[in-house]
């Protein structure tokens, strides 16, 4: 989807900017926001590009750097830390060979830290794309990552 299609779909109103940025990032091909798209969006919506950059840079869900097709957000809150967040991080490192801020060589996963996912009752937790996984163990993490990677490969084959 291009900028004009996204704005037309959501409506040319500043109140729709966050959703428009999500759509723009989702359609980018590398899960990030591109300067030329933001500049085109600024012209389309008659909003200064600096305002759009400021909005996008405020929220951690947006990135200006290419990321994997699937985003893993690992909660680093105190409850998750106490309940074994370090073990979850180790399982991700073992399975995928990446740490915070890294993307797998195949472009499938990017790992990012987050301060809280609001699921403290099932700590430790991680979020992959829009799905939260709780009560994690190293074994559960390996299984979840395998399922997501397998589904990704199946979707690519279609």
């Amino acid at each position: 989807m291009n900028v004009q299609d996204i704005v037309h779909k959501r409506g040319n109103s500043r109140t729709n900017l966050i959703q428009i940025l999500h759509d723009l990032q989702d359609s980018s091909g590398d899960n990030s926001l591109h300067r030329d798209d933001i500049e085109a969006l600024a012209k389309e919506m008659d909003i200064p590009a600096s305002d759009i950059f400021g909005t996008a840079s405020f929220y951690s869900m947006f990135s200006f750097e290419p990321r994997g097709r699937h985003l893993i957000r690992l909660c680093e809150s105190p409850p998750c830390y106490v309940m074994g967040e370090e073990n979850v991080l180790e399982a991700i490192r073992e399975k995928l060979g990446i740490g915070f801020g890294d993307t797998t060589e195949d472009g499938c996963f990017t790992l990012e830290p987050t301060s809280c996912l609001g699921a403290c009752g099932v700590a430790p937790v991680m979020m992959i794309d829009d799905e939260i996984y709780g009560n994690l163990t190293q074994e559960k993490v390996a299984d979840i990552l395998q399922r997501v990677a397998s589904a990704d490969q199946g979707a690519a084959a279609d």
Side-chain angles (χ1 to χ4, degrees), residues 41-58:
L41 180 60
K43 288 179 184 172
E44 183 72 21
M45 295 186 72
D46 196 28
I47 298 173
S50 60
D51 284 358
I52 297 173
F53 277 108
T55 299
S57 64
F58 178 79

Side-chain angles (χ1 to χ4, degrees), residues 3-126:
V3 171
Q4 289 178 326
D5 292 339
I6 291 170
V7 171
H8 183 263
K9 172 184 163 189
R10 296 290 176 186
N12 191 344
S13 169
R14 179 96 165 79
T15 58
N16 298 330
L17 182 59
I18 298 294
Q19 190 57 52
I20 289 168
L21 289 170
H22 278 294
D23 290 349
L24 195 58
Q25 181 169 271
D26 290 346
S27 67
S28 71
D30 62 6
N31 215 356
S32 69
L33 295 170
H34 298 207
R35 175 175 287 283
D36 55 338
D37 288 336
I38 289 177
E39 290 172 357
L41 180 60
K43 288 179 184 172
E44 183 72 21
M45 295 186 72
D46 196 28
I47 298 173
S50 60
D51 284 358
I52 297 173
F53 277 108
T55 299
S57 64
F58 178 79
Y59 294 101
S60 65
M61 295 297 204
F62 298 116
S63 176
F64 298 107
E65 299 297 322
R67 301 184 294 182
R69 292 180 301 281
H70 301 284
L71 298 178
I72 304 168
R73 291 184 174 89
L74 180 59
C75 185
E76 293 190 304
S77 70
C80 283
Y81 180 80
V82 168
M83 296 303 291
E85 174 261 336
E86 288 182 331
N87 294 327
V88 175
L89 179 57
E90 182 59 31
I92 293 169
R93 284 184 179 140
E94 285 179 19
K95 181 75 175 166
L96 302 178
I98 60 173
F100 287 130
D102 296 335
T103 299
T104 55
E105 286 184 23
D106 63 1
C108 189
F109 293 101
T110 295
L111 177 61
E112 297 179 344
T114 190
S115 58
C116 186
L117 290 171
C120 302
V122 292
V125 299
M126 70 179 176

